[in-house]
């Protein structure tokens, strides 16, 4: 009998994980509360725009090893990959984790393994997931000389949107077992496809490892954003400063930008901040610094368009970063909202995003007659556009590059004014 795996949650982690497990010969069933996601998977598709994902899912469905249904069924392993967004007052909303656990309860059998992949506040595996699963009367910990009846582990996903398939297979992973036997049991599943090393630890450590990773990035980006402000004030170019500082063997600064978006790095630090407010002052400050970036971009646009009657602004890229089609938590949202509130006519364009808060137009429509084009998500399509065409389409040919990606000299030679976030050397 092939191994049976049930994946709960068919989002940007669950869908590729289900497909990759299916390629190892396991029989995989994906479930989701959203019937559209279930149908999409059945038809070999999916709503997640990610390089290589469609091909992988289609191959897995055609092989007969991957299916989808509205509710779980008995399996050897249950993988929970549901969202853990921010709820009220920036606390974690764990409703989907609870629902998934409750869904598993009627199907849980002795010897099963349940893995939580979702990013969660410290202690969630032990204090939220396990108590629900133990309603079955079975125990996840050894009890009076008796071994655990089933195994529970936290194995946080680590994939980078835009490079998910490769990272899913190649990245090292941390597997935190509620018990050592649970970590071993979970390893048995992940070693079916993982090329990276599998590090075994306990569940609480794994929870903190995941949060530490994203906090590290949030802090590093906040540092880059502060350096950008400092360079602007001091007449230096942050992009040169960072590039040259990173030539040091032990320095790895990240990049400034319009703000930190998405559903991970701007969310996960709060899980730790709320757990221990007194020891996370720096983390809170980093969140504040990064959350202020969109207002700084809007301020820059206001300066660039000062004196122009009824200024039109083209927002190029509303995804939370370049190369992805996901606009959740995108810094474009506060930037557009603030500019519109101030009376700017704002037109958005994004070749990767299908639905946004405001209507999306073609690049030509966005640029036509505009007075400032703001690169918010650095999609390659924008960087490949002919600057001469851009100049011709705009009324006031000026670009605000918040990502430091525009080939400045070429674009300036084409007659565009190019302003870069973090560049205090003027518009040369
Ligand atoms: N950003 C910058 N400057 C940078 C890097 C990123 O401003 O130098 C911005 C991006 O534009 C974006 C946000 O930060 O708005 C986050 O982008 P990201 O590429 O850093 O990260 P995510 O959110 O797409 O994915 C992260 C990854 N975590 C780490 O790299 C430590 C990924 O591996 C995790 O799986 C994912 O979070 C998650 O699910 O937690």
């Amino acid at each position: 009998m092939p191994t049976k795996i049930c994946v709960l949650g068919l989002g940007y982690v669950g869908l590729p994980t289900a497909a990759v497990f299916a390629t190892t010969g396991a029989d995989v069933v994906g479930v989701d509360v959203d019937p559209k996601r279930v149908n999409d998977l059945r038809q070999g598709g999916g709503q997640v725009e990610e390089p290589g994902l469609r091909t992988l899912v289609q191959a897995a469905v055609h092989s007969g090893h991957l299916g989808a249904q509205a509710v779980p069924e008995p399996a050897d392993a249950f993988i929970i990959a549901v969202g853990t967004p921010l709820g009220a007052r920036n606390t974690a909303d764990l409703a989907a984790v609870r629902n998934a656990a409750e869904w598993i309860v009627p199907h849980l059998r002795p010897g099963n393994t349940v893995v939580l992949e979702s990013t969660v506040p410290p202690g969630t595996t032990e204090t939220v997931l396990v108590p629900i699963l133990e309603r079955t009367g079975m125990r996840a910990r050894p009890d009076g000389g008796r071994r655990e009846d089933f195994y529970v582990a936290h194995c946080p996903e680590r994939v980078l949107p835009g490079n998910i398939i490769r990272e899913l297979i190649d990245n090292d992973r941390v597997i935190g077992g509620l018990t050592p036997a649970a970590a071993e049991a979970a390893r048995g599943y992940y070693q079916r496809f993982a090329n990276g090393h599998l590090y075994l630890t306990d569940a609480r450590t794994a929870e903190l490892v995941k949060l530490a990773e994203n906090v590290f990035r949030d802090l590093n980006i906040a540092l880059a954003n502060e350096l950008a402000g400092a360079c602007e004030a001091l007449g230096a170019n942050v992009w040169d400063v960072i590039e040259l500082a990173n030539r040091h063997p032990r320095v790895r600064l990240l990049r400034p930008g319009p703000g930190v978006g998405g559903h991970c790095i701007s969310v996960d630090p709060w899980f730790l901040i709320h757990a221990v407010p007194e020891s996370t002052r720096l983390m809170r400050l980093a969140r504040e610094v990064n959350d202020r970036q969109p207002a700084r971009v809007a301020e820059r646009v206001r300066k660039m368009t000062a004196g122009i009657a009824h200024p039109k602004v083209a927002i190029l890229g509303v995804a939370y970063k370049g190369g992805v089609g996901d606009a959740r938590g995108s810094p474009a949202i506060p930037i557009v909202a603030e500019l519109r509130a101030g009376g700017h006519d704002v037109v958005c364009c994004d070749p990767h995003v299908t639905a946004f808060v405001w209507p999306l137009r073609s690049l030509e429509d966005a640029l036509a007659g505009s007075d400032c084009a703001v690169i918010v998500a650095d999609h390659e399509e924008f960087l490949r556009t002919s600057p001469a065409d851009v100049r011709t389409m705009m009324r006031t040919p000026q670009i605000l590059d918040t990502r430091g990606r525009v080939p400045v000299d070429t674009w300036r030679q084409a007659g565009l004014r190019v302003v870069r976030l973090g560049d205090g050397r003027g518009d040369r």
Side-chain angles (χ1 to χ4, degrees), residues 303-314:
K303 278 197 186 133
M304 289 172 71
T305 54
I308 300 173
H310 311 297
K312 174 181 170 184
V313 177

Side-chain angles (χ1 to χ4, degrees), residues 12-13 117 119 156-162 167 171 210 212-218 220-222 224-225 239 253-266 268 287 290 293 319-322 324 328-331 376-378 402-403:
Y12 87 107
V13 173
E117 285 211 9
T119 307
E157 58 87 6
R158 277 181 153 175
V159 288
L160 190 73
E167 293 211 352
N171 285 0
K210 168 69 190 202
E213 291 165 3
N214 281 0
V215 161
F216 166 80
R217 229 167 142 76
D218 201 34
N220 197 330
I221 297 166
N225 283 332
W239 306 100
L253 286 162
L254 287 172
R255 299 166 67 85
V260 172
H263 34 97
C264 309
I265 292 187
S266 57
D268 303 347
R287 281 281 71 248
N290 289 334
Q293 280 304 102
Y320 78 92
K321 64 178 185 179
V324 302
R328 279 178 294 172
S330 170
V376 179
D378 47 343
T402 69
R403 299 282 184 174

